[in-house]
Amino acid sequence: MSDAATSLRAAGLRVTAPRRAVLTWLAEHPHSTVDAIGTGVREVLDSVSTQAIYDVLGACTEAGLVRRIELPGHPARFERRAGDNHHHVVCRRCGRTEDVDCATGAAPCLAPDTGHGFTIDEAELVFWGVCPGCAADRLAERGTQ
């Protein structure tokens, strides 16, 4: 039995071909957009609608199998690494996104000065910068000017 099927069953979800394909794709391609997931899944299953991809992602996010990442100025991204308290670093030029483990351990690893009456259970932090590939490209561009 595949990891995707095992995860779906453990979460109490029916094992379907689209769900298995989406989870399998995300295991190899974290931080993917719906469009990228759809393209990858269609290479395996031929005919899967974008709505079906959204439905699978919604069910899997609700079940805690997938995490939805909403970065300012970018379409939503999805990853299989869910249920822990990690953050992300994003390249300003190409959008490459990588995981950054929580600096202090237990969730939430950041706390506001005041909770405004909220019970805080998660902190989300995004680091922005330039990835090594784009930094090299930038240097090359400067060298040709």
Side-chain angles (χ1 to χ4, degrees):
M1 188 168 18
S2 74
D3 174 52
T6 302
S7 297
L8 289 162
R9 285 194 178 101
L13 295 175
R14 252 183 46 226
V15 177
T16 65
R19 286 177 177 171
R20 287 179 65 186
V22 167
L23 290 180
T24 300
W25 171 263
L26 281 175
E28 296 296 320
H29 305 90
H31 314 117
S32 292
T33 63
V34 170
D35 288 343
I37 296 165
T39 299
V41 166
R42 285 183 200 99
E43 289 176 5
V44 176
L45 297 181
D46 292 331
S47 170
V48 178
S49 71
T50 300
Q51 185 59 53
I53 301 294
Y54 275 108
D55 291 347
V56 167
L57 290 168
C60 289
T61 300
E62 180 71 24
L65 298 176
V66 170
R67 179 177 179 188
R68 180 186 176 110
I69 307 159
E70 297 187 50
L71 303 169
H74 293 262
R77 296 171 184 261
F78 297 85
E79 65 181 344
R80 288 281 311 266
R81 186 176 172 187
D84 69 350
N85 198 48
H86 72 279
H87 307 296
H88 297 95
V89 59
V90 181
C91 180
R92 290 186 184 280
R93 293 187 84 191
C94 70
R96 175 178 160 189
T97 304
E98 299 290 340
D99 292 334
V100 176
D101 288 326
C102 184
T104 61
C109 62
L110 301 173
D113 289 340
T114 175
H116 303 286
F118 286 72
T119 300
I120 306 295
D121 61 8
E122 182 180 12
E124 188 170 314
L125 177 66
V126 178
F127 297 94
W128 295 90
V130 179
C131 73
C134 288
D137 289 347
R138 184 183 283 171
L139 285 174
E141 289 168 7
R142 287 182 183 160
T144 60
Q145 294 177 355

